Every structure is written in structure tokens, then in C-alpha cells.
Amino acid sequence: MATHPKDPPEDVTKQSFWMPGNYVRTVRRTDQSFQACNDIVACFSERAKVEKQYAQQLSQWSSKWKSVVDSRPLYGSLMRAWECFFTSTERLSALHSSISQSLVAEEGERVKTWQKEIFPKRLFCGFRETYDNRTSFSRAQKPWTKKLIKLEKAQAAYHKSCQREQTAIDKEKQANENAEMSPEKKQKFTVAKEKATEEKEKTKESYEKMLEDVTAYTPRYMEEMEAIFDQSQEEERKRISFLKQAFLSIHRHLDITNNESVKAVYSELHHTLMSIDEQEDLKWWKNHHGPGMATNWPQIEEWVPPVKKMKRKKKDQKGTGRPVMIGGVKVRALYDYVGEEGDELSFKAGEVFLKVEEEDDQGWCRGVLSGGKEGFYPANYVEVVE
């Protein structure tokens, strides 16, 4: 019944149920469930007030306009049709008044009675279930927590000895690289390194033994914790099951779609159906699927000569046997062109650049753009600038 967390915790390991003290979330769930019951009662008590106020407003509206209609010069079927609105409203008012009473007298009291039975209290200790779960979890976790603390101390000692060993190794290395240091001093650093290594191995052995102890105890720890947790889950399942039935019962009271009095609502549907406008629908269809649609009517379009895409020789081989123009010749692009190969130029119609090599037998020229890029382009896409 407790709300699910919106975002995952940053450190999943530390937030794990198995870590010391994290069972408290499950313990607190009982108190949260009790508060949720209070909130449900308050929520639908407020809804009952809304239903009661709505019933009163309907009755007041009906009484007001019924007296007005009695004084109007209407007769026959038109009078009976107008009076039918008030008759339906009175029935609807009585229905909502009944819903208000049911939400408070039936559903509210039902939840309160169940709440007293399912949440027994201990003297000065809050709810019995909360106390029992906290005590059981604490008792089951205490031995494992002690072992875990010892393991963490052994781990810290091992890591510290590893650090001391590394420091001794670094000092020995520096001493050996120092040609001016005497052999006696170098020997001292070697002895210190060996001592640090021996200390590291001892702390590692102690660390491994503590880890074996914790690992061996873990199955028993998990079995005990899961047994307590499963019992807590069963109590929560009962609460969820009851509140599900309570919600379904509230829904039964609020669902008035099959009541005869509510059929008056269909008069609004009828009004909506009568508001269908044939002319507006035809106008929409004309503008979206008929003559009213926007159209690109035919107009003059300049012919763009196609580029014959043929296999060309590699860039370093192209132009063999063709003259290279000294300084180049200015040409102007007649059409837009986008190069499709890495050695082709791209340009816009009207752009001026240099042709530096005559057309080959496949219709390609070599040119240089104003920005300095060199490449090939179709010869029939340009004209010489005179």
C-alpha cells in the first residue's frame, strides 16, 4: 500500500533490504497503511459532501424553475416536455443524496471498523504488528551485522597494509635508482618492504577468514529475514485485498450510468446530434479533399540537362592527355548542381568560378571554386563568361 519510489536510489547496494537497518521501510509500512486508511475515509467523506451539495443544488434549481413554468402560458405537450426536466432532476437529486449517505454510513464505517480490527495496538509501543516486525527483524539481523562490522574492519586493515606495502616498494625502487646511496641504506628499504609484504599477507588471511565466516552465515540470515518478511507481506496482502473490495463497493455506489434517472443526460447527446451541420461538413471536405485544395498549377519550367553518370577514372589519372589552362577560364553556372562524389564540385546557378582543364570525352571538366576547392563538374552545366 505504500507508494512506489519515483526514481531508483543512487546506491542500490546501500539501499538494499539486506543491509543493516534497511528493514525499517517494511516495518514502517504498517503505520503508513493505517494512515492510508484514514486518508481514504477522509477522501470519500469529502466526496459525500460534494454529492450532498450537488443534490441540494439540483433540488433548488428544480423548485425555482418549476414555479416559473407554472406561471407561463404554456400548454399541451410543450408544457409536459418542460415539466419532464424537473421530474428527472428531482429523481437525480434523490439519487445523489442516497449516494452521499451510503459513502458515509456504509463505506466509511466499514473501513473504520476493519481498521480497528486489523491494527491492534500495544501499550506505549504503537501497533502490535510494527513492534513485532521491528523486534523480529532486529533479532534476526543482529548476528549478521556484527559479523559484517568485523569484516569491514578486516577489509580496512587489509587495504591499509596494501597501501603501506606499495609505499615501501616505491621507496625501495627510489633507493635502488640512487647511485649515491650506500648498500646498507638500500638494504634497510628492502627489509622494510619485506616486512610490509609480510604484514599485508597476514591481514589478507584475516580478511579472507572473516569473509568466509560471513558467507557461511548468510544463508541462515537470509532464511530468517525472508520468513519475517513473508509474514509482513501476508498482512499487507490482506489489507490490499480488503481495500480493493472497499474501492469496488464505492464504485458501485458512484456508478449511476444504469440508473433510470441518469437517462436524462442523453438529452444533451440528442442536442449534440441535432447540432450536426451538413453545410459545414461539406465545406471542410471541399477544402481538404475537393476543389478548394491548394494546387501547383502548370507553369513554365526551365529544362535542366541530365548529368550522365559514368564511371570516371580516379582523380589522379583524370585529365591525362588533356590540356591544362594557365590561369583558368571564368565560367558561370547555369543550374544548381550537387556533387555526388568526393571529387565533384557543388554550386548554385549564377555562381562564377574557374575552369582549369578542358572537357573530357565523358563530358566532365575540372574547376576551382572561389573558396579554393578543386574538383570535377558537368561541362554542360556552365557557360564561359565573356
Side-chain angles (χ1 to χ4, degrees):
M1 287 172 56
T3 57
H4 300 291
K6 296 182 179 179
D7 298 319
E10 294 182 0
D11 191 337
V12 178
T13 303
K14 292 182 179 180
Q15 296 295 327
S16 172
F17 165 80
W18 302 106
M19 292 297 100
N22 287 348
Y23 60 79
V24 71
R25 292 193 295 266
T26 300
V27 172
R28 291 173 180 169
R29 184 170 58 172
T30 303
D31 298 48
Q32 294 170 350
S33 298
F34 181 84
Q35 182 58 45
C37 292
N38 290 338
D39 294 338
I40 289 173
V41 172
C43 172
F44 290 103
S45 294
E46 188 171 324
R47 174 61 186 267
K49 293 179 180 179
V50 173
E51 294 288 338
K52 184 177 180 180
Q53 292 172 357
Y54 182 52
Q56 293 173 349
Q57 291 175 349
L58 288 175
S59 181
Q60 292 170 1
W61 175 85
S62 177
S63 299
K64 172 186 174 181
W65 284 99
K66 188 175 182 181
S67 62
V68 173
V69 170
D70 291 340
S71 63
R72 294 294 184 264
L74 296 180
Y75 56 91
S77 60
L78 186 57
M79 172 65 82
R80 289 192 297 271
W82 199 348
E83 290 177 341
C84 182
F85 283 100
F86 309 130
T87 303
S88 300
T89 301
E90 290 295 337
R91 298 201 329 246
L92 192 60
S93 174
L95 176 63
H96 284 281
S97 180
S98 174
I99 292 174
S100 176
Q101 295 175 4
S102 298
L103 290 176
V104 175
E106 295 181 21
E107 305 306 328
E109 291 300 320
R110 178 187 177 192
V111 174
K112 289 180 180 179
T113 301
W114 171 82
Q115 191 180 26
K116 291 179 181 179
E117 296 174 354
I118 205 67
F119 294 101
K121 293 185 177 182
R122 286 176 56 93
L123 189 63
F124 308 121
C125 296
F127 298 112
R128 182 183 302 167
E129 181 182 337
T130 302
Y131 174 83
D132 292 343
N133 285 340
R134 182 184 294 110
T135 303
S136 299
F137 276 128
S138 177
R139 186 183 297 113
Q141 195 174 75
K142 188 175 181 179
W144 189 81
T145 301
K146 288 183 178 180
K147 295 178 182 295
L148 185 64
I149 293 174
K150 292 181 180 179
L151 176 64
E152 291 173 349
K153 289 181 178 179
Q155 181 193 57
Y158 169 62
H159 289 174
K160 192 171 183 179
S161 65
C162 289
Q163 184 180 5
R164 285 196 293 264
E165 181 194 38
Q166 186 60 48
T167 301
I169 292 173
D170 294 339
K171 288 182 178 180
E172 182 191 29
K173 182 179 179 182
Q174 293 175 2
N176 292 332
E177 292 174 351
N178 188 349
E180 298 178 358
M181 184 176 291
S182 64
E184 290 78 10
K185 289 185 177 181
K186 291 182 179 181
Q187 181 62 26
K188 289 182 180 180
F189 286 107
T190 301
V191 172
K193 189 252 322 187
E194 293 174 352
K195 184 178 180 181
T197 301
E198 182 179 357
E199 180 66 21
K200 185 202 73 172
E201 293 300 324
K202 289 181 179 179
T203 56
K204 181 180 179 181
E205 182 179 358
S206 177
Y207 178 38
E208 290 175 345
K209 288 182 179 179
M210 290 304 306
L211 180 60
E212 290 176 0
D213 187 27
V214 171
T215 303
Y217 188 81
T218 298
R220 176 182 173 182
Y221 165 65
M222 294 179 64
E223 181 180 0
E224 293 178 357
M225 291 290 285
E226 285 183 347
I228 303 168
F229 181 80
D230 290 343
Q231 184 177 356
S232 175
Q233 287 287 81
E234 177 59 20
E235 296 301 322
E236 183 70 0
R237 185 198 65 77
K238 294 177 181 178
R239 287 191 282 267
I240 294 174
S241 178
F242 171 82
L243 291 179
K244 175 183 178 181
Q245 297 302 320
F247 283 151
L248 289 173
S249 182
I250 292 172
H251 171 266
R252 178 174 54 82
H253 290 297
L254 295 176
D255 183 10
I256 57 176
T257 55
N258 294 321
N259 192 284
E260 290 294 330
S261 298
V262 185
K263 291 185 178 180
V265 175
Y266 285 98
S267 63
E268 181 179 349
L269 174 61
H270 179 70
H271 173 74
T272 303
L273 296 176
M274 294 302 295
S275 298
I276 297 174
D277 191 330
E278 296 90 344
Q279 295 303 320
E280 284 297 323
D281 290 347
L282 293 174
K283 182 179 179 181
W284 182 90
W285 185 268
K286 177 180 178 181
N287 293 334
H288 289 77
H289 301 286
M293 296 178 65
T295 303
N296 292 326
W297 296 103
Q299 57 184 356
I300 293 296
E301 295 181 7
E302 294 296 333
W303 176 76
V304 178
V307 178
K308 297 180 179 179
K309 301 302 292 182
M310 302 174 64
K311 288 186 177 180
R312 295 188 283 105
K313 297 179 181 180
K314 292 184 178 179
K315 185 175 180 180
D316 58 343
Q317 296 178 349
K318 188 159 185 171
T320 303
R322 290 184 288 111
V324 176
M325 300 178 179
I326 306 300
V329 176
K330 284 188 176 181
V331 294
R332 180 185 292 109
L334 298 173
Y335 319 100
D336 293 345
Y337 181 73
V338 178
E340 298 181 3
E341 302 291 342
D343 59 349
E344 294 180 12
L345 299 178
S346 297
F347 45 78
K348 298 287 185 180
E351 186 175 349
V352 177
F353 56 95
L354 291 177
K355 177 173 74 171
V356 297
E357 194 174 282
E358 287 293 348
E359 177 181 354
D360 62 11
D361 56 353
Q362 296 177 3
W364 293 87
C365 292
R366 184 191 296 270
V368 180
L369 298 178
S370 58
K373 182 178 180 180
E374 181 179 355
F376 299 101
Y377 65 91
N380 58 346
Y381 267 54
V382 302
E383 65 180 1
V384 177
V385 177
E386 298 182 354

